[in-house]
Amino acid sequence: MNPAAHEIVIVDDEVKPAQVLAEYLQRDGFRTAHILDGNSAVAYVRQHAPGVLILDVMLPGLDGIEVCRAVRRFSMVPIIMLTARVDEADRIQGLDIGADDYLCKPVSPREVVARVRAQVRRAAGPMTSDQHTFGFVVEEAAQRIWWQGNVLPLSQVEYRIFRTLLSQPGRIFEREALLNAKDCVGRAVNDRSVDSHIKNIRKKIKPYTGDTEFIFSVYGVGYRFGDF
């Protein structure tokens, strides 16, 4: 990975913390941009296609939730949300609308840099051949999933979970295995996080696949792809 090839956009109206974070990212070799408000952030992502978006929830104009929704309409850039809110419901909302990672303030700049590097690695993806499963095509090199010529609008976390389900049709994956698939081992996450992502995946693929069900819940255990 060449960090210099990636621009990291920090969207935060608090100047000093953003500057400190930018300095840590720059020391790690990344280019950075700092944006103070939500409306400007959406326009910047549309024009410049950065490598990662670090997005504070509390912003003037459009807040971070609305920015995330707006960006997801046209871009799958990895989004790391930062917030002072500690309620589980707030974290789940952020993941529901397409965020790839979620950190509660105050945050360690070193941890944020580590999370950024992880998102950049995942976005690059391994160079392997495509996987075809019941009409779905997993394009590993681009980290995306196709259905009948259409790219499904999945976040990076949703991509990894759905890819795991597609890898073994009919197998029941426990929630813990799906947490491992989204690289959440050791984080403050729980079963509701996986349930939230599965709900989001179902919602996003439905406009393309119609009423056909592909992801099935197994009560008290987890999920499987296919009714086998």
Side-chain angles (χ1 to χ4, degrees):
M1 180 184 68
N2 177 15
H6 300 279
E7 180 182 44
I8 313 304
V9 176
I10 304 166
V11 187
D12 193 337
D13 63 333
E14 295 187 53
V15 175
K16 188 171 180 57
Q19 289 177 338
V20 171
L21 181 54
E23 289 173 3
Y24 273 83
L25 287 163
Q26 290 162 13
R27 289 176 199 166
D28 211 56
F30 292 103
R31 294 181 292 113
T32 64
H34 177 209
I35 297 174
L36 296 168
D37 66 275
N39 290 301
S40 299
V42 175
Y44 191 93
V45 173
R46 189 185 296 274
Q47 182 177 357
H48 296 277
V52 176
L53 183 64
I54 300 174
L55 182 60
D56 189 41
V57 171
M58 302 300 291
L59 294 170
L62 290 180
D63 65 18
I65 298 295
E66 291 303 318
V67 171
C68 186
R69 285 197 182 103
V71 168
R72 280 291 173 256
R73 295 188 187 109
F74 64 87
S75 172
M76 296 312 298
V77 58
I79 297 176
I80 300 174
M81 299 196 77
L82 305 180
T83 182
R85 299 172 181 172
V86 296
D87 288 346
E88 181 184 71
D90 291 320
R91 296 197 300 272
I92 290 174
Q93 181 185 24
L95 296 171
D96 267 344
I97 62 173
D100 297 284
D101 205 347
Y102 206 105
L103 290 170
C104 292
K105 292 182 174 180
V107 296
S108 161
R110 291 186 179 88
E111 181 178 4
V112 177
V113 172
R115 299 286 182 99
V116 166
R117 292 185 68 88
Q119 292 298 333
V120 170
R121 286 195 301 270
R122 291 165 193 152
M127 295 299 292
T128 59
S129 55
D130 297 345
Q131 168 194 335
H132 297 251
T133 306
F134 293 87
F136 293 94
V137 178
V138 179
E139 187 183 3
E140 292 280 7
Q143 297 278 282
R144 58 190 179 185
I145 298 174
W146 296 72
W147 170 263
Q148 296 184 352
N150 297 295
V151 176
L152 301 175
L154 305 175
S155 71
Q156 289 295 312
V157 170
E158 292 158 3
Y159 162 81
R160 292 193 297 277
I161 290 176
F162 196 24
R163 177 191 61 184
T164 300
L165 292 169
L166 288 169
S167 68
Q168 297 184 56
R171 172 187 165 179
I172 300 172
F173 284 88
E174 296 181 353
R175 287 176 174 84
E176 182 179 356
L178 296 176
L179 286 175
N180 292 343
K182 64 188 283 293
D183 294 331
C184 283
V185 177
R187 299 188 196 174
V189 294
N190 54 31
D191 290 353
R192 287 189 62 190
S193 173
V194 171
D195 295 340
S196 178
H197 285 301
I198 292 292
K199 178 182 177 182
N200 217 27
I201 293 168
R202 285 170 168 161
K203 181 173 65 176
K204 288 184 176 182
I205 70 175
K206 185 176 177 62
Y208 299 90
T209 62
D211 293 331
T212 304
E213 291 289 335
F214 288 102
I215 301 175
F216 292 84
S217 304
V218 181
Y219 182 76
V221 183
Y223 296 92
R224 70 168 181 261
F225 174 84
D227 190 16
F228 305 115

